[in-house]
Amino acid sequence: MTKALKGVRILDFTHVQSGPTCTQLLAWFGADVIKVERPGVGDITRGQLQDVPNVDSLYFTMLNHNKRSITLDTKNPKGKEVLTALIKQCDVLVENFGPGVLDRMGFPWEKIHSINPKMIVASIKGFGPGPYEDCKVYENVAQCTGGAASTTGFRDGLPLVTGAQIGDSGTGLHLALGIVTALYQRTMTGQGQKVTAAMQDGVLNLARVKLRDQQRLAHGPLREYSQFGEGIPFGEAVPRAGNDSGGGQPGRILKCKGWETDPNAYIYFITQAPVWEKICDVIGEPGWKTHPDYAKPPARLSRLNEIFARIELWTMTKTKFEAMEILNKDDIPCGPILSMKELAEDQSLRATGTVVEVDHPTRGKYLSVGNPIKLSDSPTDVKRSPLLGEHTDEILRQVLGFSDHQVAEIHDSGALDPPRKQAAE
């Protein structure tokens, strides 16, 4: 089978998480991703959160599969020559530098476009044009400025960020879609273009149901929120709603058997209206099916705390997996709270390639997340991340067609080595 992006070459100037998430996804689909790294240092995450001394961290390895690495000092004149040659040979340049870094490197959009008019330049920034466009942004900053944190947590507590990396990885996924869209458009226009994804924008896109609720709030209280049933008035902005379902059907996280010692012995339970009668039978409250205080959704809104407390009395008699099996027989929406340990050991996720075991020459075997998007005619093979500069000579010779003499000249120029510190006079 042919890989979906076979023949597409990516010049990868990304680092940390948001950009590498994007380029790794493209590499999984078959693109040739050439990761450009600083000589002697590389992507900063190679050395961050190291659990094994002198070995690339899991932070790096899990975000840079299927890529090739070239070290290049882009301040060195020969390094600039190599970069220019790479721009000519690549289809897409991806970067998540701070604002203006490419310009200061001497490669603004206008220059890149003149070198290769078909080049797509894709960028991740913290904010789009506006008062904050020059600000540096990280994961939790994006969650806060994109509206996620203000609507996450409980009403009487602090705003919370989520453990899912919706700012970094979420924006990387958005950018990948922008890149393949621009590649498709190029097949018709023959021209490259700029593609930008701002982290604030990406988070807001993922939090769009809360923007929906903000507009609904102007026309009255949000009836599916727990505070409505508790008689607590709403303010001017969408409140934090704990574990209420965002889809309009009341939902809560409930204790299961073993919760006293297992922090993840819980299940998410949704009291969906079409299966209400089945819920009543399962928990042993058949009378609620016809009782005027419980039979219809509007009547239940002021009694949700009582209803979920009664359901929890039932879930506490079952493990989360037992409850899941029983409830699914009646199509009652629910989901066990799965720990990272349980996910890592889930054989069904191994079978689908969602969790993969990768062998690394210095780290050994480790687990990683595989491609979450499955294509029937473009299967994903997850290959290990590159060692720093591992493919430098290979890229110079095979991609750029440089001779042995030219490669030797580049090595002699210092463009592939860490910049030498000048001794103080």
Side-chain angles (χ1 to χ4, degrees):
M1 294 183 182
T2 301
K3 297 285 188 179
L5 294 179
K6 181 178 173 61
V8 174
R9 184 165 285 148
I10 310 291
L11 188 55
D12 183 3
F13 267 103
T14 69
H15 57 287
V16 192
Q17 184 179 169
S18 61
T21 297
C22 168
T23 52
Q24 177 172 257
L25 191 62
L26 301 174
W28 279 338
F29 286 129
D32 178 15
V33 176
I34 298 173
K35 187 176 179 75
V36 182
E37 301 188 75
R38 288 184 300 161
V41 179
D43 188 322
I44 193 173
T45 58
R46 285 185 184 270
Q48 288 185 334
L49 305 178
Q50 283 183 319
D51 55 320
V52 180
N54 303 314
V55 170
D56 287 339
S57 72
L58 288 168
Y59 196 1
F60 176 84
T61 61
M62 292 175 70
L63 287 164
N64 291 281
H65 293 120
N66 297 52
K67 303 178 184 181
R68 295 197 280 179
S69 171
I70 179 174
T71 54
L72 193 63
D73 178 4
T74 56
K75 296 179 181 179
N76 181 293
K78 275 290 181 185
K80 289 184 184 295
E81 289 181 21
V82 173
L83 178 53
T84 300
L86 283 168
I87 290 172
K88 291 178 180 178
Q89 294 296 324
C90 292
D91 299 285
V92 186
L93 185 154
V94 189
E95 60 92 12
N96 62 330
F97 292 128
V101 171
L102 268 185
D103 292 1
R104 293 193 293 273
M105 284 173 57
F107 289 88
W109 158 254
E110 293 77 14
K111 180 173 181 178
I112 293 172
H113 189 62
S114 68
I115 295 170
N116 182 356
K118 297 180 70 174
M119 170 70 79
I120 293 162
V121 177
S123 304
I124 288 178
K125 300 303 173 200
F127 297 95
Y132 307 122
E133 62 184 300
D134 292 330
C135 295
K136 185 176 286 188
V137 174
Y138 292 96
E139 171 66 45
N140 289 354
V141 174
Q143 290 196 32
C144 292
T145 59
S150 72
T151 55
T152 302
F154 288 89
R155 188 174 57 248
D156 55 354
L158 292 171
L160 293 177
V161 295
T162 174
Q165 304 292 280
I166 61 175
D168 277 328
S169 288
T171 308
L173 294 171
H174 282 97
L175 189 69
L177 174 60
I179 289 170
V180 295
T181 303
L183 284 168
Y184 177 76
Q185 186 174 7
R186 194 182 70 176
T187 64
M188 294 178 288
T189 66
Q191 292 292 308
Q193 62 182 298
K194 291 187 287 185
V195 180
T196 305
M199 295 173 73
Q200 181 187 43
D201 299 359
V203 171
L204 181 57
N205 183 46
L206 297 175
R208 66 170 56 228
V209 296
K210 299 302 182 179
L211 185 60
R212 172 202 69 189
D213 291 348
Q214 181 63 42
Q215 296 170 88
R216 293 174 55 226
L217 189 58
H219 301 283
L222 304 173
R223 294 174 177 269
E224 78 280 11
Y225 281 53
S226 293
Q227 74 180 75
F228 172 76
E230 296 169 13
I232 299 172
F234 286 79
E236 294 181 344
V238 173
R240 292 182 280 286
N243 291 315
D244 288 350
S245 170
Q249 302 285 348
R252 299 277 178 89
I253 290 179
L254 305 177
K255 298 172 183 173
C256 291
K257 181 187 287 186
W259 68 272
E260 298 92 342
T261 56
D262 182 354
N264 295 298
Y266 293 84
I267 194 168
Y268 197 87
F269 193 112
I270 298 176
T271 55
Q272 189 179 34
V275 292
W276 173 247
E277 292 190 0
K278 293 179 179 178
I279 292 172
C280 295
D281 289 335
V282 166
I283 67 172
E285 294 288 352
W288 281 5
K289 291 188 286 187
T290 55
H291 195 292
D293 289 346
Y294 303 97
K296 300 296 181 182
R300 295 196 289 270
L301 290 175
S302 62
R303 297 174 175 82
L304 289 178
N305 287 343
E306 173 197 345
I307 289 169
F308 279 111
R310 176 62 187 88
I311 295 172
E312 189 171 57
L313 288 177
W314 177 81
T315 60
M316 289 170 64
T317 67
K318 313 292 180 187
T319 69
K320 61 188 178 184
F321 297 111
E322 291 170 342
M324 176 86 167
E325 184 177 355
I326 293 168
L327 296 170
N328 271 299
K329 289 178 181 177
D330 288 321
D331 294 325
I332 298 170
C334 63
I337 308 304
L338 296 179
S339 69
M340 282 296 156
K341 181 176 185 297
E342 289 167 323
L343 290 168
E345 296 171 352
D346 190 319
Q347 293 305 306
S348 66
L349 296 179
R350 301 283 187 101
T352 60
T354 298
V355 174
V356 294
E357 186 174 76
V358 183
D359 201 359
H360 190 275
T362 57
R363 165 173 288 282
K365 292 183 178 180
Y366 66 94
L367 288 184
S368 187
V369 178
N371 193 342
I373 304 168
K374 320 299 191 207
L375 272 62
S376 63
D377 287 345
S378 181
T380 297
D381 301 312
V382 177
K383 300 175 183 176
R384 67 166 177 86
S385 59
L387 302 176
L388 179 60
E390 180 178 353
H391 304 96
T392 298
D393 283 8
E394 174 182 301
I395 292 166
L396 293 176
R397 289 188 169 91
Q398 295 180 6
V399 176
L400 302 181
F402 288 171
S403 66
D404 290 346
H405 176 70
Q406 288 173 304
V407 172
E409 272 191 336
I410 296 167
H411 274 282
D412 291 343
S413 74
L416 309 178
D417 304 313
R420 296 184 179 87
K421 292 183 179 179
Q422 292 185 351
E425 294 183 356

